[in-house]
Amino acid sequence: MQALAGKVCVITGGAGSLGLAAARLFVDEGARVVLVDLSLAALEEASRDLPAVQVMLVAADVSSAQDTERYVQLAVERFGAIDVLFSNAGNFGTVAPIADYPLDIFDAVQAVHVRGALLAAKCAVPHMRDGGSIVITSSVAATRGDAGVYAYITAKHAQVGLMRCLAKELAPRRIRVNTVHPGPIDNGFQLAVEQGLGEAIGADGTEFFNGLIPLGRHGRPEEIARSVLYLASDQSSFVTGTTLMVDGGMSC
């Protein structure tokens, strides 16, 4: 039996590797999916192999209240009430000493990760079916602190607080809310992070991260997506308010 048969799922950050991997898996499991990202062209390119009858593409800025209201309304108009919200949009920012950290970059990262996740829930929850699921992509970064990574790590910690508040509020409706915490993923987003780190430490950033992971490698988007599917589906019917680590043991 398909785990998401007939369910309506909204995925932000839909053109990225994790959003797309989740979309493919959700479609295979019977869902109708609304993919949201900043660029329609990127969405169209990424989703070529997905069945148009099950997938809707919407270009939107997740930090904009107006854009968020619009993509939620379009999702409801096309497919009906929402069962799953996968709040996955993200950006990294930069690495710099606190005295030099650019405030505009700090604000931009909070706007996407924290404001974006809050807006998604604020606009989607009134249109969600009871018994649904909200999954927020946080990170292993939410379990640690690293000098210079002020915007990203702060945002990832904040998402956990948001998740816990939502989990308490929405429990009477049986809407479960959880965060998923990937470690380094083998994708373009992580590669850009590692190139910046490599320049800062004078070493190979990818090998540096592999050395921190007990399993000794980066995760694959498909592996993280399977954990998202677990949280999105009724397989996790008694799981809410939790932080699911999918990091190869990096947070041990």
Side-chain angles (χ1 to χ4, degrees):
M1 181 177 175
Q2 292 176 308
L4 296 176
K7 294 196 173 183
V8 176
C9 306
V10 175
I11 301 175
T12 67
S17 66
L18 178 52
L20 186 59
R24 289 189 178 118
L25 189 55
F26 285 12
V27 165
D28 287 346
E29 292 294 334
R32 291 166 291 172
V33 175
V34 179
L35 283 177
V36 180
D37 213 302
L38 199 55
S39 166
L40 183 59
L43 282 169
E44 290 172 342
E45 176 67 23
S47 64
R48 278 194 212 174
D49 62 336
L50 295 175
V53 67
Q54 284 178 262
V55 177
M56 179 183 186
L57 310 179
V58 183
D61 176 355
V62 298
S63 69
S64 162
Q66 183 177 2
D67 278 15
T68 304
E69 290 172 357
R70 181 173 57 83
Y71 77 66
V72 168
Q73 191 59 44
L74 288 171
V76 173
E77 288 174 1
R78 171 77 181 271
F79 292 132
I82 297 167
D83 298 285
V84 176
L85 171 63
F86 180 27
S87 192
N88 173 65
N91 53 351
F92 179 71
T94 191
V95 179
I98 187 62
D100 301 325
Y101 206 92
L103 291 179
D104 58 337
I105 290 180
F106 184 88
D107 291 345
V109 173
Q110 309 314 305
V112 172
H113 291 269
V114 187
R115 178 181 168 88
L118 183 142
L119 283 172
K122 180 178 177 63
C123 295
V125 163
H127 300 282
M128 289 187 71
R129 291 189 178 93
D130 290 357
S133 173
I134 297 174
V135 184
I136 300 171
T137 300
S138 184
S139 167
V140 66
T143 69
R144 56 187 293 130
D146 289 295
V149 194
Y150 293 104
Y152 187 75
I153 288 180
T154 299
K156 290 307 182 184
H157 277 76
Q159 286 178 322
V160 175
L162 173 64
M163 173 272 288
R164 287 173 172 155
C165 292
L166 287 168
K168 287 285 184 70
E169 178 178 340
L170 300 179
R173 291 183 55 193
R174 295 178 294 105
I175 295 176
R176 296 166 291 106
V177 190
N178 298 283
T179 45
V180 63
H181 295 252
I185 303 175
D186 186 11
N187 63 12
F189 182 95
Q190 181 66 25
L191 179 60
V193 172
E194 290 167 359
Q195 287 173 340
L197 175 66
E199 292 171 4
I201 66 175
D204 186 293
T206 300
E207 290 307 312
F208 172 81
F209 275 110
N210 282 338
L212 298 177
I213 304 169
L215 289 183
R217 66 172 177 85
H218 286 38
R220 297 186 297 274
E222 295 76 15
E223 292 176 303
I224 314 304
R226 287 195 291 271
S227 294
V228 177
L229 174 63
Y230 165 72
L231 293 175
S233 73
D234 292 339
Q235 295 172 18
S236 60
S237 58
F238 200 56
V239 178
T240 195
T242 197
T243 54
L244 178 58
M245 308 306 300
V246 194
D247 63 354
M250 188 175 174
S251 57
C252 289

